[in-house]
Amino acid sequence: MPWFRIDDKAHSHPKLIKAGNAALGLWLRCGSYAAQHLTDGIVPGVVAQLYGTKPQAAKLVKAGLWHEHGHDCPDGCPNPAPGDYVFHDFLEDGRNTSRARAEAERKKARDRQSKHREGARGDRAGAQKDDRNAEESRDFTFDSSSKKSESASEKSQSSDSSAGQRGLSRRDASVTGIHAGATPYPSTSYGSTGAASEPRPDGLPDPLADLKRGIATAGLTGVAWDLRESGWEYTRQAIERVGVPAMVAYAINSARLKGQPAGASAWVQGWRSLEAPEQQDGIAYLPTAVGQSGPVARQQQETNDLFDRAMQRAKSRMQEDQ
């Protein structure tokens, strides 16, 4: 954007003092007009009449700040058309921007923007090409690894189809801890609470069948049993430690407080935290599960009572709001 520049000593310049403040207002406004429209200092007569009066314009001419048509300024100021004016030394030493310089700067700016856009398009094209190459490389790797995996699987099945079916190996008998299962277990437990009694696809018995059946009997149906290996083993250990009724009771209470989860994996950590029941006179006191009989622990009963009271208060507030 061009500017109409005024020297910091203009306030005391003899010409400006001679012209007077009223005429200087006209001079300033017309200077801004000339800079905006790139007139190289030419002030059309109609603009001068719009922003001031003829006496004010005459004072500017008399003070040497403006020239009229046919002037004889020795500094080479351009000659305006009849009725127009021109600023004295408007373009001297590049004080103000000429039309030629402004157009040249604009052209340079357009060229820079054009080069920048071309470079950006080239970068995007290169990035897209790299993405396509990477995608093709991933596809090739996937295909190659898939074929290798299928080949290895076929080779393993054809070489020893009865492997692992003739009893436990010495390693199976010696392994203890989390990986010590009486039978190999898959990465997930098959089925859901709606299919707890269905056999597993590998033909092996499902150690979680009783737990699934108990939870389904309690009314928690449609729960997926997509457990990881660690979750499967933690659940199996909990069954051995606290029994199915306690685990079913935990699932029921958790569903009351938090809502029924999509999968049984949401209960695994809670099952791990359950403690083995205390023995009193040979009787194990556990929370009662739906479909089971036996005494209810005091702590569990208090939890149920708190939950019921909270639900009752919530229903009462809803009725009051209506």
Side-chain angles (χ1 to χ4, degrees), residues 20-96:
N21 289 337
L24 287 179
L26 173 61
W27 179 80
L28 177 61
R29 295 186 69 179
C30 290
S32 174
Y33 172 88
Q36 178 187 9
H37 296 280
L38 299 173
T39 67
D40 292 346
I42 299 296
V43 180
V46 293
V47 174
Q49 293 177 14
L50 177 65
Y51 294 151
T53 63
K54 282 191 175 182
Q56 292 171 351
K59 287 183 178 182
L60 294 176
V61 172
K62 187 176 181 179
L65 295 173
W66 278 6
H67 300 306
E68 293 180 300
H69 174 71
H71 69 85
D72 56 355
C73 178
D75 294 331
C77 294
N79 189 32
D84 294 345
Y85 304 91
V86 64
F87 276 82
H88 176 70
D89 288 341
F90 187 81
L91 301 177
E92 181 185 14
D93 298 330
R95 180 186 296 119
N96 294 297

Side-chain angles (χ1 to χ4, degrees), residues 25-172:
L26 173 61
W27 179 80
L28 177 61
R29 295 186 69 179
C30 290
S32 174
Y33 172 88
Q36 178 187 9
H37 296 280
L38 299 173
T39 67
D40 292 346
I42 299 296
V43 180
V46 293
V47 174
Q49 293 177 14
L50 177 65
Y51 294 151
T53 63
K54 282 191 175 182
Q56 292 171 351
K59 287 183 178 182
L60 294 176
V61 172
K62 187 176 181 179
L65 295 173
W66 278 6
H67 300 306
E68 293 180 300
H69 174 71
H71 69 85
D72 56 355
C73 178
D75 294 331
C77 294
N79 189 32
D84 294 345
Y85 304 91
V86 64
F87 276 82
H88 176 70
D89 288 341
F90 187 81
L91 301 177
E92 181 185 14
D93 298 330
R95 180 186 296 119
N96 294 297
T97 304
S98 66
R99 177 179 290 273
R101 191 174 80 181
E103 291 178 350
E105 291 176 352
R106 290 171 181 173
K107 184 177 183 303
K108 289 181 181 179
R110 289 194 298 270
D111 292 342
R112 286 195 300 269
Q113 292 178 356
S114 178
K115 290 181 180 179
H116 176 73
R117 286 194 293 268
E118 290 177 0
R121 283 196 294 268
D123 293 342
R124 287 196 296 270
Q128 291 174 356
K129 182 177 180 181
D130 293 341
D131 292 342
R132 287 196 298 269
N133 292 339
E135 188 67 27
E136 292 173 358
S137 176
R138 286 195 295 270
D139 292 344
F140 175 79
T141 303
F142 175 78
D143 293 342
S144 176
S145 61
S146 298
K147 292 179 180 179
K148 289 180 181 179
S149 177
E150 293 174 359
S151 176
S153 176
E154 293 175 357
K155 182 177 179 181
S156 174
Q157 294 177 1
S158 61
S159 61
D160 189 2
S161 60
S162 62
Q165 303 300 323
R166 298 183 179 181
L168 298 175
S169 65
R170 286 177 294 178
R171 180 182 182 280
D172 294 331

Side-chain angles (χ1 to χ4, degrees), residues 167-322:
L168 298 175
S169 65
R170 286 177 294 178
R171 180 182 182 280
D172 294 331
S174 62
V175 172
T176 59
I178 191 171
H179 297 293
T183 57
Y185 54 84
S187 59
T188 60
S189 295
Y190 297 94
S192 64
T193 53
S197 61
E198 295 181 2
R200 294 192 336 191
D202 55 11
L204 298 176
D206 186 357
L208 308 186
D210 291 341
L211 177 61
K212 295 178 182 179
R213 189 177 298 107
I215 289 179
T217 303
L220 301 176
T221 59
V223 179
W225 289 83
D226 50 346
L227 303 180
R228 297 180 179 179
E229 291 184 0
S230 58
W232 190 97
E233 180 61 21
Y234 289 141
T235 303
R236 187 189 65 80
Q237 292 178 2
I239 292 175
E240 295 179 354
R241 186 177 67 256
V242 302
V244 169
M247 298 172 71
V248 173
Y250 175 86
I252 294 172
N253 293 324
S254 177
R256 286 177 179 174
L257 295 173
K258 303 177 182 179
Q260 179 175 323
S265 58
W267 295 325
V268 172
Q269 292 300 322
W271 286 335
R272 290 185 64 190
S273 65
L274 293 176
E275 298 293 336
E278 296 181 357
Q279 297 280 340
Q280 295 183 4
D281 300 329
I283 301 175
Y285 291 92
L286 294 174
T288 301
V290 176
Q292 303 289 336
S293 60
V296 179
R298 179 180 300 174
Q299 183 178 3
Q300 184 61 54
Q301 185 62 49
E302 292 176 353
T303 301
N304 294 344
D305 292 342
L306 287 173
F307 177 80
D308 293 338
R309 288 196 293 271
M311 290 296 295
Q312 187 62 39
R313 287 195 298 270
K315 291 180 179 178
S316 299
R317 285 196 298 270
M318 291 176 64
Q319 292 174 356
E320 292 175 359
D321 294 339
Q322 293 177 353

Side-chain angles (χ1 to χ4, degrees), residues 1-25:
M1 179 178 63
W3 292 78
F4 176 57
R5 293 176 173 84
I6 303 175
D7 189 88
D8 58 358
K9 297 182 179 65
H11 62 91
S12 60
H13 195 282
K15 290 185 178 181
L16 274 65
I17 294 175
K18 182 179 179 180
N21 289 337
L24 287 179

